[in-house]
Amino acid sequence: MTKPSVLDVARSAGVGASTVSRVLNNHPHISESAKARVLAAVEELGYTPNLSARSLRSGQTGAISVLLPMTGTAFYETLLSAVQAGLEVHDYDLALFPLLGERRFRRFRESGALLYHADALLIVSQSPDQLYAGRLPFNKPVVLLDAHHPHHHSISFDNPAAGRMAAELALSRRLPLVLLDVAEGPGDWPSPAFLERRGGVLETLSRRGVTPIQTLHAHTSPNYGREAAQQLIASGIRPPFFLLALSDDLALGASRQLLEAGWQAGRDYLLLGFDGSLEAAQAGMSSVAQPVSQMGGAAAETLLAALGGGLSTLTQRVFAPSLQERASTAASLVLGSR
Amino acid sequence: MTKPSVLDVARSAGVGASTVSRVLNNHPHISESAKARVLAAVEELGYTPNLSARSLRSGQTGAISVLLPMTGTAFYETLLSAVQAGLEVHDYDLALFPLLGERRFRRFRESGALLYHADALLIVSQSPDQLYAGRLPFNKPVVLLDAHHPHHHSISFDNPAAGRMAAELALSRRLPLVLLDVAEGPGDWPSPAFLERRGGVLETLSRRGVTPIQTLHAHTSPNYGREAAQQLIASGIRPPFFLLALSDDLALGASRQLLEAGWQAGRDYLLLGFDGSLEAAQAGMSSVAQPVSQMGGAAAETLLAALGGGLSTLTQRVFAPSLQERASTAASLVLGSR
DNA sequence: TTGAAAGCGCTACCAG
DNA sequence: CTGGTAGCGCTTTCAA
């Protein structure tokens, strides 16, 4: 009642183990009769190959592990779809390991749970230094996406520039500024990308001598944007103002809450987010956009190059932000149409 | 320049291979000196264990593969977080394989890409029959979540009952009914759960002799809810009406579009969704809720039981729907306050 | 076209 | 406490 192996199949089919292997791997030059008998035996015994043994032999797994902070957002869906698309031509599969919360994160770091049976590792939105105190416990190709590091291949977005771009737009509207920042809790760091965005924003503000009249903090999920907006309303603020949120998700969450208070983006206050998401476009919200799919595609290319061994020098690609101006930052409000 | 093995470490540390293994696996009764020399050698050579070999030896991988249709929604995030939480006590890791699109799906089915180096398989929101024409190419424990099948352990939601419950509420409001259904494209089936919901709705409607004045179809993503709503508006419909959407995501997407046309849920039209999402609650939208986290927890329990071998009989757990009534289905509209 | 056998890297067993 | 060794299941030589 133990799991059948190639040898069991071989015996049952009356052939050698190597013939079984050849049939299973579609080798040429196999007699029809042998093939038929092997397949019949496989069927009868319910044989399934042992992937660990196969990988041990071949030195390959056919999978690429992806370490990412979470999955429940359109951003990661788009990003990973693009990576996937670029990879499946070469028959690689993506295995996702969301770090969902501090607990899991700790396990990763401490117990050294080297769980990736994979040929390469894609680290998304995270710094390897943060993940692993010292050297990566992984001697296969590593590529960073939406993050960067001096010692690793990386595909990233110019978040400081994006932050500056956003701040410039905000300043140009000459309204009191409210900053919707990300929260830093114990064990719940925002991704480095957010910190860089914030850095770009603050740098520009301080250079112009401007201080936000209020800074709110929210965890990076659209639902938390609502909570922050509640705080804002509770603070007794009155429009008009310029709400600069560090992500589209946060901005959208906040705008929904503000709408319930009767304030509409582009009419009562101005609103700007980051990422250039589809939802931002649909909601008529301005955004500092990043080319998410392109970045995913670039990551796939880099992974393939690294796997092919043709990557002796460090590849570091940085994508530039672009501004998507829509109704939510309409300049008319500035002119005091209210 | 080849990857170092235990033997290399052993030689470098001047000990035997088994001692290296013992140190690496924290066995007791190891002399401090041996331990120190092994660890030094590991560090120096940059040794990383080969997981395929380890799994081959032990017959275990420490991972559970999850096959799911997509990841970019709060629903799956919540569901999988719960599974994860129930599993990590036992040191299992979840490896996610989103089926993102038809192409990947085909690969799975045809090339028999048996990519899961795992101890068990969790199939989410999918029918094994749809995924694999015949028998599952996997002889380890299999559990279905948000799906069911006569031959497999399963944790599911009573979608037909949920559909009936939704239809009953809708009928009680005595308004023209618009149904926001899911689309079925080539290679893009909605999950079985949606089909069952629809079945429950239609069954109740036909029993009462009611026909929707319009049925819209959208892919299962919030963004598509907007498109459907555009069609609805374009059709020249006038409030009041009752919009019954097969998911909260769809409902929310539609409501945002309708709001731009000046129609507000609960005031101009009534709106009901499914799933009991946090966003629905925040938006004051009624929903036929399912206990997502509980279901995830139950899946974890079932997986653990199956892995422990203590699951001789088939486990099939079905969770019941509960109605969350909020402002979006306020009965006042029925009374003609308009 | 086929079979026998070596060996991938690791851990468990058995001596010492 | 430690080292030698067998063997997990598979694929790939090498000979036939």
Side-chain angles (χ1 to χ4, degrees), chain A residues 11-73:
Chain A
R11 267 193 289 271
S12 167
V15 300
S18 37
T19 299
V20 174
S21 174
R22 283 190 273 256
V23 170
L24 262 35
N25 293 283
N26 291 315
H27 280 221
H29 313 305
I30 301 280
S31 70
E32 283 303 322
S33 80
K35 192 167 184 171
R37 276 180 303 146
V38 167
L39 292 177
V42 164
E43 191 62 28
E44 187 197 325
L45 300 178
Y47 167 80
T48 339
N50 178 319
L51 297 195
S52 299
R54 189 175 274 182
S55 305
L56 176 57
R57 240 333 286 230
S58 67
Q60 299 220 325
T61 64
I64 292 174
S65 288
V66 182
L67 222 51
L68 74 173
M70 59 190 311
T71 58
T73 66

Side-chain angles (χ1 to χ4, degrees), chain A residues 139, chain B residues 1-4:
Chain A
N139 61 358
Chain B
M1 187 51 212
T2 172
K3 199 193 161 195

Side-chain angles (χ1 to χ4, degrees), chain B residues 34-319:
Chain B
K35 192 168 185 171
R37 276 180 303 145
V38 167
L39 291 178
V42 163
E43 189 62 28
E44 187 197 323
L45 299 179
Y47 166 80
T48 338
N50 178 318
L51 297 195
S52 298
R54 190 175 272 182
S55 306
L56 176 58
R57 242 334 283 229
S58 67
Q60 300 220 325
T61 64
I64 292 175
S65 287
V66 182
L67 222 51
L68 74 172
M70 59 187 313
T71 59
T73 66
F75 175 77
Y76 288 116
E77 181 91 357
T78 306
L79 191 64
L80 295 179
S81 293
V83 178
Q84 178 96 259
L87 243 33
E88 65 189 5
V89 189
H90 293 257
D91 266 8
Y92 280 107
D93 276 301
L94 288 190
L96 271 40
F97 294 89
L99 254 17
L100 303 168
E102 185 194 10
R103 177 109 186 244
R104 174 92 189 256
F105 181 93
R106 285 260 272 292
R107 272 203 55 211
F108 236 85
R109 186 159 172 170
E110 290 168 12
S111 81
L114 316 172
L115 47 81
Y116 13 81
H117 293 248
D119 298 332
L121 180 60
L122 182 64
I123 299 183
V124 185
S125 303
Q126 234 117 9
S127 148
D129 291 341
Q130 211 172 64
L131 278 172
Y132 304 95
R135 224 180 51 269
L136 278 182
F138 197 68
N139 61 357
K140 306 214 177 94
V142 172
V143 174
L144 307 188
L145 177 54
D146 187 38
H148 54 82
H149 186 280
H151 302 344
H152 295 286
H153 302 302
S154 64
I155 311 298
S156 60
F157 175 59
D158 193 343
N159 280 294
R164 292 192 296 267
M165 187 180 274
E168 293 290 356
L169 175 66
L171 289 173
S172 75
R173 297 299 191 260
R174 304 184 173 284
L175 289 174
L177 183 66
V178 177
L179 183 60
L180 179 39
D181 199 351
V182 292
E184 286 176 75
D188 179 19
W189 309 287
S191 78
F194 282 108
L195 301 182
E196 292 180 2
R197 270 176 210 180
R198 171 204 288 167
V201 170
L202 297 183
E203 177 203 320
T204 297
L205 294 186
S206 79
R207 184 153 29 81
R208 302 289 196 86
V210 174
T211 312
I213 57 165
Q214 211 171 124
T215 300
L216 304 161
H217 297 271
H219 293 275
T220 53
S221 151
N223 299 319
Y224 291 107
R226 287 191 98 109
E227 285 184 17
Q230 282 172 338
Q231 286 174 36
L232 184 61
I233 295 167
S235 78
I237 195 175
R238 286 286 158 253
F241 54 85
F242 193 110
L243 178 56
L244 174 51
L246 286 193
S247 81
D248 283 350
D249 279 351
L250 245 28
L252 287 163
S255 72
R256 283 170 201 147
Q257 190 67 41
L258 294 176
L259 191 59
E260 287 175 19
W263 300 343
Q264 195 175 314
R267 190 192 67 189
D268 304 294
Y269 69 102
L270 297 187
L271 177 65
L272 177 62
F274 284 81
D275 288 338
S277 67
L278 180 56
E279 279 211 282
Q282 290 180 329
M285 190 178 84
S286 299
S287 185
V288 177
Q290 58 179 313
V292 184
S293 288
Q294 277 183 55
M295 289 169 60
E301 279 175 31
T302 308
L303 279 166
L304 287 173
L307 283 163
L311 216 53
S312 48
T313 63
L314 206 55
T315 295
Q316 309 248 36
R317 297 181 61 178
V318 180
F319 286 77

Side-chain angles (χ1 to χ4, degrees), chain A residues 307-324:
Chain A
L307 283 163
L311 215 54
S312 48
T313 62
L314 207 54
T315 296
Q316 309 246 39
R317 296 182 61 178
V318 180
F319 287 78
S322 64
L323 185 59
Q324 298 178 340

Side-chain angles (χ1 to χ4, degrees), chain A residues 72-103:
Chain A
T73 66
F75 175 78
Y76 288 116
E77 180 92 357
T78 306
L79 191 64
L80 295 179
S81 294
V83 177
Q84 178 97 255
L87 244 33
E88 64 189 4
V89 189
H90 294 257
D91 265 8
Y92 279 107
D93 276 301
L94 287 190
L96 271 39
F97 294 90
L99 253 18
L100 303 168
E102 186 194 11
R103 176 111 184 243

